[in-house]
Amino acid sequence: MMSVCNIGELLKMNSTLTSLGLEGNHIGVEGLKRIGEALAVNTTLLTLNLSANDIGDVGSQYVSSALKENNSLSYLDLGANEIGFIGSSEIAEALQVNRALKDLKLSYNQIDDDGFQSICEALKRNTTLTSLSLGCNNIGDVGSKHLSSALKENEILASLLLDQNQIGEEGLRSICQALRVNHTLMDVSLYRNNIDHGSQILDEELKVTLFE
């Protein structure tokens, strides 16, 4: 059986592989370190699935370092990896300089409002990411305010998934306010949050937008 170390070495030398799925392998921090080192020099891999691999905050640092150097990877799935505040902050730092990644999945982690703030700050500078998934985290109304601020400046994000978080009516209003000036976001999913009167709020906000 090929070890993670072997895969890392393979990625350093390979010039044809464009897609790699390693989900559910419990790679862990050491394994991620090897893969991160390979990604920093690999120029052909476009799609990488690392979901459910026990990466955690420490492993996220290796992902961040790789993304700062990599210029080819366009799709990355880091879902279900126990990534929290430190890890999301590290990834956000990479998003500020990365110019290749278009689709990032961070669902089923432990990202709260503080961690989400770092990501939102990165969205103000990022010019390539078009799809971001953050379902099943711990993002609430405070995080939605950070998002609102980011969406007023971001001019590239088209799809945003925030299902099963803790966003309430106040958070929805913040997002709607940003949509008045944002002209690139086409798909926002807020399934199973804490929004009790969502249709009323959307109706009110859309009327304001239409008649301004």
Side-chain angles (χ1 to χ4, degrees):
M1 180 179 292
M2 182 176 290
S3 69
V4 174
C5 294
N6 294 142
I7 293 174
E9 290 303 313
L10 174 65
L11 286 175
K12 288 180 180 179
M13 300 180 291
N14 185 274
S15 60
T16 56
L17 191 69
T18 59
S19 181
L20 178 61
L22 291 170
E23 60 271 30
N25 278 292
H26 305 290
I27 289 173
V29 174
E30 187 57 36
L32 210 286
K33 179 181 180 182
R34 301 283 185 174
I35 292 175
E37 291 171 349
L39 286 177
V41 296
N42 180 279
T43 59
T44 57
L45 194 68
L46 303 176
T47 300
L48 177 61
N49 191 333
L50 290 171
S51 60
N53 270 302
D54 303 321
I55 290 172
D57 285 339
V58 177
S60 297
Q61 297 177 29
Y62 296 120
V63 174
S64 176
S65 296
L67 289 177
K68 290 175 183 177
E69 301 295 331
N70 183 279
N71 294 310
S72 60
L73 194 69
S74 62
Y75 173 97
L76 177 61
D77 192 339
L78 293 172
N81 270 304
E82 299 182 355
I83 297 171
F85 170 71
I86 295 175
S88 55
S89 298
E90 290 284 346
I91 293 170
E93 188 176 300
L95 288 177
Q96 295 195 37
V97 297
N98 180 277
R99 293 295 178 267
L101 198 64
K102 295 181 179 180
D103 190 344
L104 175 61
K105 301 191 182 304
L106 289 167
S107 295
Y108 295 97
N109 279 293
Q110 300 168 3
I111 301 171
D112 59 11
D113 288 335
D114 292 332
F116 189 44
Q117 180 179 11
S118 299
I119 293 174
C120 289
E121 288 301 313
L123 289 177
K124 293 179 181 180
R125 299 185 181 183
N126 183 277
T127 58
T128 55
L129 196 70
T130 59
S131 179
L132 177 61
S133 299
L134 283 154
C136 295
N137 278 284
N138 299 309
I139 299 166
D141 288 342
V142 173
S144 297
K145 291 181 179 179
H146 297 313
L147 174 62
S148 178
S149 177
L151 291 178
K152 291 174 182 177
E153 296 186 35
N154 182 279
E155 297 180 346
I156 189 69
L157 193 68
S159 177
L160 177 63
L161 187 148
L162 290 168
D163 294 346
Q164 299 187 64
N165 276 283
Q166 299 170 11
I167 298 169
E169 295 175 17
E170 183 181 348
L172 178 58
R173 288 190 184 278
S174 296
I175 294 171
C176 286
Q177 288 169 8
L179 293 179
R180 296 180 189 177
V181 296
N182 180 288
H183 302 296
T184 56
L185 195 62
M186 296 184 290
D187 182 14
V188 180
S189 182
L190 293 166
Y191 171 70
R192 296 189 71 174
N193 274 275
N194 298 325
I195 304 168
D196 294 327
H197 303 289
S199 59
Q200 178 181 341
I201 294 171
L202 286 172
D203 184 55
E204 292 172 358
E205 294 295 336
L206 285 175
K207 281 183 179 178
V208 171
T209 303
L210 285 172
F211 290 102
E212 278 186 343

